[in-house]
Every structure is written in C-alpha cells, then in structure tokens.
Amino acid sequence: MSGFHQARMDLGVRLRRLRENARLSGKDLAERLHWQPSKVSRIENARQTASEDDVAAWGKAVEADPQTVDALVRQAAALQERQDSWRQRHRTGLAALQEDIRDLETRTLLFRAFEPGAVIGLLQTTEYARHVFGKLRRLYKSTADVDDAIRVRMRRQEILYDPARRFRFVMPESVLRYRLAPPEVMRGQLDRLIAVTTLPNVEFGLLPFEAPLPSALTNPFWIYDNALVGVATGTRDLLLRDAGEVEFYARAFEEFWEAAAFRDDARALIVRALDDYTLHQPR
C-alpha cells in the first residue's frame, strides 16, 4: 500500500469516527452537507481524497471540537499537497483518481486546460476514454477497473452544460492524429470535438501545425480558477497552490491561447483530420 493511500485511509477513519460520535448515518451527514451520499462513503473508505473545504464542512456538520477539525484540515491539506507516484496512485484505482478530479471541478467556475498528448478528459468519448485508460492501466501495471473510471469520467462531463461555468481548452492539432484509438473511434472523437465547439460556455482552441509556438509542448496542466494548478508528469501528479506558480502557468496558458485557432478555423482543422481518417480507412 502506498503512503498516499495509507494517509487517505487514516483521514477517512478519523472522519468516520466524528460522524459516528455525532450519531449520524452517512445519508444524514450527506443531507446536512448537500452532498451525494456516495461522497461520504468514498471519503470514509479512501476512494476519494477529502479537500480542506470538505473536512471543514464535515467538522461543522458534526459539531466537532474546533481543534480537532483544525488538525484534520491540516491533514487534508498535507494530503492534497502530496506529490505521489502515479504508479502508486493508479494502484488505488483509476475511478478514485477520477472522483478526486470531479470533486475539484465541482468547486471551480473557470477551467483552463492545456493537453499536448491526448484529447482533454472532459471532451473524450466513452470509447476513446476506454483506449486511453487501457493504456494507462498497462503502463502503470494497475489492476483498476477501467469501466468504473469511464463511468466517472462521463459523469464529470455533465459540468460542461452548467452555464455558470466557463471552459477554455487548448490542444495541438497533432492530438487529432495521434492513434491512441482505432480510426473508427478517432472519427467519433473528432465528431464530439466539433459538437463541443458549439457550446456557449466552451472556448476550444487548436495549435495548428504551422503556428509559431511560444514554447515547447511539454506537460499537460489544468488551472482551476486562479487558486490551483494540476500538472501531470510521467511519474508525479503535482498540485500547485503557490501564487507564483499559478501565475506562471496562467501566463503559459495565455501564450498558447494567443497562438491557437478557434471556432470555424478550429473546426476546419478537425474536419481535415476527419477527412484523412475517412480517406485511409480499410476498404
């Protein structure tokens, strides 16, 4: 068991004890917090990482001692800051990782995402996601259930239709052509991207092959409001809250944004890739 998962289990046990001491069922607590009951269960059973806000709200709902709550908030903060091995985290389950991301997204109004190697998760089709998760499962030697992870990822996408939230996405044109899935799956994925470009709260940009780039395309990153940046490397999943680091990634995003093509120009790039997949399909 990884140190990350053990720490998450320890926090879940302590939170469960607070709930039980207050003589509340998981359903009772979820109602007080206006959460889905499954979230209480996921946190208590270490299938989701509780945020600092989650712990503070939990402590208030069960009327716990303020000093105890403060200690648990610090524990949650330390857990959020962990830079754990992706291999270790993947062993705890791909679905658990997706739940953590989903919970973070529910607290975010402005999303900015740059992804140089694959279609951004919130925009993936079910079948494309299946191939991506399958490759991750093999790479990290995970025993995780891919179907569970896909179900959570698809539920995450419901947030795209919330008019109170804004989404700004940038990918290089090359992602349209990376064969992470068979051609028929790629065609379905590109059709999905065309549909997404019509959503009023989504701005979707592509970096054309011929566009001058402001910098090399390295790690994917996601900016949640102006408070947090998630950066994925091959072996680490970083959560950055330092104001200077957030500002650095916000500036990097804006530079890619300025180089990207949008709306009709972006759709033209997608259609061109679609035509190539159709042209080269087996007869």
Side-chain angles (χ1 to χ4, degrees), residues 241-255:
R241 289 184 173 82
D242 177 79
E245 290 180 308
V246 173
E247 194 278 332
F248 171 86
Y249 280 99
R251 187 170 65 251
F253 183 86
E254 290 304 319
E255 290 185 351

Side-chain angles (χ1 to χ4, degrees), residues 59-261:
K60 183 177 180 180
V62 300
E63 300 180 353
D65 173 78
Q67 290 185 335
T68 299
V69 176
D70 287 344
L72 291 175
V73 168
R74 289 194 297 272
Q75 186 176 346
L79 196 58
Q80 292 281 338
E81 292 290 347
R82 293 286 295 273
Q83 299 179 3
D84 274 79
S85 160
W86 266 66
R87 180 175 295 176
Q88 291 174 336
R89 292 198 68 190
H90 275 267
R91 285 175 181 166
T92 70
L94 291 167
L97 288 173
Q98 290 298 303
E99 289 286 7
D100 285 349
I101 297 170
R102 184 187 181 202
D103 193 57
L104 178 57
E105 289 169 345
T106 63
R107 305 193 301 273
T108 303
L109 293 177
L110 171 62
F111 298 76
R112 285 169 287 178
F114 171 73
E115 173 58 76
V119 173
I120 291 165
L122 282 174
L123 308 181
Q124 292 179 7
T125 64
T126 298
E127 287 308 309
Y128 182 92
R130 187 177 306 282
H131 286 274
V132 170
F133 280 130
K135 289 174 170 59
L136 287 173
R137 189 176 189 271
R138 176 192 55 78
L139 181 62
Y140 293 103
K141 299 179 180 178
S142 170
T143 59
D145 188 331
V146 168
D147 287 338
D148 285 345
I150 291 171
R151 279 193 289 271
V152 180
R153 172 158 285 181
M154 294 304 108
R155 287 201 300 270
R156 283 177 52 207
Q157 295 184 3
E158 295 171 4
I159 203 170
L160 291 171
Y161 303 96
D162 181 349
R165 303 177 197 273
R166 293 172 53 218
F167 303 87
R168 302 176 72 194
F169 300 128
V170 177
M171 305 185 320
E173 181 184 354
S174 54
V175 169
L176 306 179
R177 300 170 184 274
Y178 288 152
R179 298 295 182 91
L180 290 174
E184 63 272 16
V185 174
M186 293 303 301
R187 288 196 295 272
Q189 177 61 73
L190 298 190
D191 282 337
R192 163 71 171 156
L193 291 180
I194 291 174
V196 165
T197 64
T198 67
L199 294 176
N201 59 335
V202 173
E203 297 176 272
F204 177 76
L206 287 169
L207 295 168
F209 285 126
E210 62 272 17
L213 296 177
S215 61
L217 309 181
T218 53
N219 301 107
F221 60 88
W222 303 264
I223 308 172
Y224 302 93
D225 292 323
N226 291 305
L228 175 69
V229 180
V231 183
T233 74
T235 57
R236 299 283 175 181
D237 185 15
L238 311 181
L239 291 176
L240 309 175
R241 289 184 173 82
D242 177 79
E245 290 180 308
V246 173
E247 194 278 332
F248 171 86
Y249 280 99
R251 187 170 65 251
F253 183 86
E254 290 304 319
E255 290 185 351
F256 287 129
W257 186 261
E258 290 174 5

